Amino acid sequence: MRSVSGAAASGRELLAHADALGRAYEALAAATDDEARRAALCRVAGRLAASVVRPLGAALGDIANGAAQPGTEAELGVALHDLACQATRLRVGVGGPPALLEASAALQDLACQLVAEDDECLAARRGEFVSLQEQLAPNIQSAPDGPYLVTNVARMTDWLGGSLEPLPQAALCRCGASQLKPWCDGSHSVIGFHAAKAPDRVPDRLDTYQGQHLTVTDNRGICAHSGFCTDRAPTAFRVDTEPFVAPSGARADEIVRATRDCPSGALGYALDGRDPAGLADQDREPAIEISKDGPYRVTGTIEPLDASGNPEPRNTGASREHYSLCRCGKSQNKPFCSGMHWYADCHDPPAPEKATLFQWAGGFPALLRLTRRFYEKHIPGEPLLSTLFGRMSPDHPERVAAWLGQVFGGPPAYSHRYGGYDRMISQHLDKGISVEQRALWVQLLSRSADDVGLPADAEFRAAFTAYIEWGSRIAVENSQPGVHPPPRMPVPRWWWVCDAYPWSRTHATEDTIKEEAPPELPGPDEPLSYATHIKPLFRQRDHDSMSFAFDLWSCDDVSTHANEILARLRAGTMPCDGAWPPERVDVLERWIAAGTPP
């Protein structure tokens, strides 16, 4: 460890360099005529000021007022990378304060953003930061009234299971106001975020519920109200009923699964009076999941630290292997989630307008719930299938979920972790799967989809059923003695059946049909353009229903097919729910006669 005086001197030097570099980026932005480039340079300067200079200034005193050093954008990028390495070395050498960790996180992120389009250079910089920090244990430290400072947690995923590829030092927003979510952008310092616990929070109290063979413990003071227990074992964990827990209200394995899946760590259990702490907590790699519109779900025994770097005090009976951290900034039990995101209008960016089957299903977590339910509940009770799966590996549900996720349009997790198509085929060779086993497998997997609440709309279930019917028949074929499945085939990619999308039709269950306002038509002598006058003529439903043929929101597509579209509009066969009035058809005809201007 460095001496206090040496660390302070290095910190002041770092602060001066960061301040000068930020003003150099501002000067470079002011000197460019390219509006997009100016905006990008200003973002770098703003991030340096908000997430580097500000926290370092708070830790070390007043900002140094050195002169901004001129230079080209490339030279400034090199200087920023050097500054990130300098900050990281100082952070490793002295361990803190939290402001130094926050600045290091921002500098590592900025240094990598500047080379994001150069895969080789990006990999080299990430590797350099990993090497500099490799001696540090994974932990999450709460900065005073600031972000979560995440050290050496390599696995971080979004709510669909997609990797966010965090840097060795990262800063996660916990005030709820960052424009870079889940990353911190310094907004906590602007909105006046405070990290204190609320005095009227739910008290820290461990309740014990004794059953015949199973004892369940629960601490409402740390519950994040994710609803996993009430959704998965509703007869044992009861909404609006006292007592909340009925320890004999469901099968023991269902209660154990719901307890182990509790993301906040509020629930625990004991079998026949024995506390299986190690078993209950599981053995998982350090990981952080950013849940949808909710908290950070931490697993794998990542030590939570307070602002002083000491272990964060935990509630009575709470798990140390998994816990939920507040992300909306409103928790009454900070840093842990208390469920206030349900009332704090906490929303992530909306899902893509046209989702893949993977996204529509709910991503990897939803598919993992499906496969766990299937292999843990339905398979053991069916002799026809239990013999087939009796020797499967403990992580078999995870493997099947990864395969389904990749097939349904998600990340190539199965290929990266297990080996792709050839690996999947190898699991079926010489198994001799029967037609009866296949049919029962399909039936029980569909039942599991109902059990865990996978989307039940007609379009998704048609695509889901089509794949498991197709895939299971291929598995039967490949499992017979003496067959030779073709090698090195790609992993199949499944899509919506016949392009029947859930968003392309008006559902009969909707209370009212929301009609779009009619477009304002141009005057008779007004020059026409596609963007201003033609695109607004087409509704969302028109666009979706004709997407199999052309894109009505593309000027090029409409120009190419203009005469065909005009003919169908005149004949009243487009749109399908009623003909256009003649004056609207006339606008399109005038635009075509004018040469289809953009």
Side-chain angles (χ1 to χ4, degrees):
M1 298 290 285
R2 299 188 186 192
S3 67
V4 175
S5 59
S10 296
R12 284 192 294 272
E13 181 182 357
L14 184 67
L15 175 61
H17 288 174
D19 183 45
L21 187 60
R23 285 185 282 115
Y25 267 101
E26 289 177 350
L28 191 63
T32 182
D33 295 328
D34 186 326
E35 187 173 341
R37 197 75 219 128
R38 183 187 306 116
L41 294 168
C42 285
R43 282 194 294 271
V44 174
R47 187 84 182 278
L48 281 167
S51 297
V52 180
V53 175
R54 179 198 54 76
L56 282 178
L60 297 167
D62 295 334
I63 296 175
N65 292 313
Q69 299 298 314
T72 66
E73 187 174 346
E75 290 171 337
L76 293 182
V78 171
L80 197 152
H81 170 240
D82 290 343
L83 189 64
C85 293
Q86 182 184 357
T88 303
R89 291 189 187 96
L90 181 61
R91 177 260 179 277
V92 172
V94 302
L100 178 57
L101 276 64
E102 183 181 347
S104 300
L107 284 167
Q108 287 187 14
D109 187 35
L110 283 168
C112 288
Q113 282 186 29
L114 292 179
V115 295
E117 296 180 2
D118 185 336
D119 292 342
E120 185 175 346
C121 187
L122 177 60
R125 289 195 176 182
R126 293 182 67 92
E128 185 175 16
F129 295 137
V130 168
S131 178
L132 288 172
Q133 289 197 197
E134 62 184 354
Q135 70 191 71
L136 302 177
N139 64 68
I140 302 175
Q141 183 173 3
S142 300
D145 298 332
Y148 299 116
L149 304 167
V150 181
T151 299
N152 283 358
V153 178
R155 181 168 171 76
M156 189 181 298
T157 59
D158 60 21
W159 68 278
L160 292 171
S163 176
L164 297 180
E165 299 183 347
L167 288 158
Q169 191 65 60
L172 293 175
C173 172
R174 70 161 166 158
C175 69
S178 173
Q179 299 301 305
L180 298 175
K181 292 186 184 75
W183 316 114
C184 170
D185 67 354
S187 293
H188 55 277
S189 63
V190 177
I191 67 171
F193 169 72
H194 295 291
K197 296 180 185 291
D200 58 345
R201 64 186 180 278
V202 176
D204 177 20
R205 186 187 71 201
L206 191 68
D207 296 320
T208 302
Y209 302 89
Q210 183 80 44
Q212 280 190 310
H213 300 287
L214 189 68
T215 298
V216 178
T217 59
D218 175 40
N219 190 333
R220 295 287 86 194
I222 198 173
C223 179
H225 301 280
S226 295
F228 284 22
C229 56
T230 53
D231 288 346
R232 299 172 191 184
T235 55
F237 301 96
R238 305 173 300 179
V239 179
D240 299 328
T241 301
E242 292 295 336
F244 170 60
V245 179
S248 300
R251 287 174 17 185
D253 62 322
E254 292 180 334
I255 296 176
V256 167
R257 166 56 66 195
T259 300
R260 295 178 74 181
D261 283 351
C262 170
S264 68
L267 294 175
Y269 72 92
L271 290 169
D272 293 324
R274 182 173 60 88
D275 181 11
L279 177 65
D281 269 348
Q282 311 168 67
D283 181 18
R284 294 180 283 192
E285 65 175 319
I288 300 173
E289 176 197 339
I290 292 86
S291 66
K292 182 173 174 56
D293 302 331
Y296 300 106
R297 292 172 180 157
V298 184
T299 56
T301 318
I302 304 174
E303 187 71 58
L305 306 177
D306 63 17
S308 300
N310 299 314
E312 184 76 47
R314 300 301 309 276
N315 292 55
T316 306
S319 169
R320 298 202 75 85
E321 192 272 346
H322 55 276
Y323 49 90
S324 295
L325 294 174
C326 172
R327 189 161 69 97
C328 68
K330 302 295 192 296
S331 173
Q332 296 178 313
N333 190 36
K334 298 184 186 78
F336 305 108
C337 173
S338 68
M340 288 301 292
H341 53 277
W342 294 109
Y343 311 98
D345 196 31
C346 178
H347 296 291
D348 289 314
E353 181 181 325
K354 294 186 176 180
T356 63
L357 292 170
F358 175 77
Q359 293 165 333
W360 194 265
F364 181 77
L367 295 173
L368 182 57
R369 291 199 305 272
L370 167 75
T371 55
R372 279 180 171 174
R373 182 74 168 189
F374 176 69
Y375 288 108
E376 292 177 3
K377 178 178 180 180
H378 293 300
I379 290 298
E382 293 290 346
L384 190 62
L385 294 179
S386 58
T387 55
L388 186 63
F389 295 102
R391 295 184 179 180
M392 66 182 180
S393 62
D395 67 341
H396 192 73
E398 286 85 351
R399 292 171 180 262
V400 177
W403 172 265
L404 290 174
Q406 185 168 341
V407 168
F408 288 160
Y414 188 89
S415 293
H416 289 169
R417 296 178 195 170
Y418 309 116
Y421 183 84
D422 287 348
R423 170 71 182 186
M424 174 58 74
I425 292 299
S426 72
Q427 303 304 297
H428 298 110
L429 293 177
D430 299 320
K431 287 290 198 311
I433 301 172
S434 69
V435 173
E436 292 77 15
Q437 287 174 318
R438 185 209 73 80
L440 185 57
W441 187 90
V442 169
Q443 176 188 340
L444 295 180
L445 194 62
S446 295
R447 186 182 301 172
S448 300
D450 293 333
D451 291 347
V452 301
L454 254 60
D457 55 274
E459 290 83 0
F460 176 78
R461 286 306 176 94
F464 178 79
T465 303
Y467 174 70
I468 63 175
E469 284 281 356
W470 180 86
S472 61
R473 292 172 194 273
I474 298 296
V476 170
E477 177 184 314
N478 291 334
S479 72
Q480 303 310 308
V483 301
H484 302 285
R488 296 180 294 278
M489 295 290 287
V491 173
R493 177 68 179 267
W494 217 252
W495 193 242
W496 302 95
V497 175
C498 298
D499 289 337
Y501 312 117
W503 54 83
S504 65
R505 67 181 176 95
T506 301
H507 290 246
T509 55
E510 292 185 11
D511 295 333
T512 58
I513 299 176
K514 297 179 181 179
E515 291 290 345
E516 297 178 36
E520 186 174 337
L521 300 182
D525 299 321
E526 185 176 347
L528 301 181
S529 74
Y530 168 80
T532 304
H533 305 105
I534 303 304
K535 183 179 178 181
L537 296 177
F538 301 107
R539 302 166 300 175
Q540 177 74 50
R541 72 176 73 174
D542 301 331
H543 171 270
D544 293 340
S545 64
M546 296 305 299
S547 61
F548 72 95
F550 39 72
D551 184 356
L552 289 173
W553 288 349
S554 163
C555 181
D556 290 342
D557 263 19
V558 176
S559 297
T560 301
H561 300 279
N563 291 323
E564 179 186 352
I565 294 171
L566 181 61
R568 296 189 64 171
L569 290 170
R570 283 174 173 166
T573 58
M574 176 186 165
C576 59
D577 60 340
W580 273 12
E583 58 271 21
R584 196 180 297 185
V585 179
D586 289 343
V587 172
L588 181 65
E589 189 171 11
R590 284 174 49 203
W591 177 71
I592 295 172
T596 65

